[in-house]
Amino acid sequence: MQSPETAEEMLQLAADAAASKGGEDLIALNVSEPLPLVDIFLLVTGNSERNVAAIADEIEDRLIESGHKRVRREGRAEARWVLLDFGDLIVHVFHQEERVYYGLERLWKDCPVVPIHLTETVAGE
């Protein structure tokens, strides 16, 4: 398992990548207590299948470029809910409808929120 600092560094890289492609409603949850093999979930919303795919691809590219290894990727073909597993960080990129339907925030409501400090400006801000 990687250090918490590495997980938070990965979170910041992923969050910046998501924001650069128009990702919305970014929420990071510390799930290390109930899931000892994972530190952080990052939840991101995209507004279309194309946007979900672009967000997921950008996150994956940036983390791999930074030397992090992807363990698993699921859902890329449908681009309604893409899961990117980078070990201590798992990124869930949802289409708006899937995010509401599955309600991961509700399922993990007892987990503390991890602050996200975006360093890239989002278009239109």
Side-chain angles (χ1 to χ4, degrees), residues 86-112:
F86 279 88
D88 289 340
L89 173 69
I90 296 182
V91 181
H92 301 269
V93 184
F94 291 99
H95 188 282
Q96 294 167 339
E97 295 163 4
E98 272 67 14
R99 176 116 179 223
V100 171
Y101 181 79
Y102 289 103
L104 291 189
E105 293 96 332
R106 219 174 34 252
L107 292 173
W108 299 98
K109 69 178 186 259
D110 294 335
C111 295

Side-chain angles (χ1 to χ4, degrees), residues 42-58:
L42 174 61
L43 311 178
V44 182
T45 301
N47 57 31
S48 67
E49 287 89 351
R50 177 180 245 161
N51 187 225
V52 168
I55 293 166
D57 290 348
E58 185 69 13

Side-chain angles (χ1 to χ4, degrees), residues 17-29:
S20 77
K21 293 296 179 181
E24 301 173 349
D25 300 325
L26 280 70
I27 296 176
L29 301 171

Side-chain angles (χ1 to χ4, degrees), residues 12-81:
Q12 295 306 144
L13 285 169
D16 281 337
S20 77
K21 293 296 179 181
E24 301 173 349
D25 300 325
L26 280 70
I27 296 176
L29 301 171
N30 181 335
V31 295
S32 61
E33 186 71 27
L35 298 174
L37 298 178
V38 178
D39 284 338
I40 299 171
F41 277 0
L42 174 61
L43 311 178
V44 182
T45 301
N47 57 31
S48 67
E49 287 89 351
R50 177 180 245 161
N51 187 225
V52 168
I55 293 166
D57 290 348
E58 185 69 13
I59 291 169
E60 187 173 16
D61 290 348
R62 289 214 200 164
L63 286 171
I64 289 171
E65 284 171 10
S66 295
H68 301 288
K69 185 178 188 294
R70 187 192 77 219
V71 177
R72 183 178 62 174
R73 176 181 63 196
E74 296 181 14
R76 174 60 177 82
E78 299 82 17
R80 299 288 296 180
W81 176 2

Side-chain angles (χ1 to χ4, degrees), residues 2 5-15 63 68 86 89:
Q2 299 171 355
E5 293 81 23
T6 302
E8 289 189 17
E9 170 192 307
M10 292 167 63
L11 167 64
Q12 295 306 144
L13 285 169
L63 286 171
H68 301 288
F86 279 88
L89 173 69

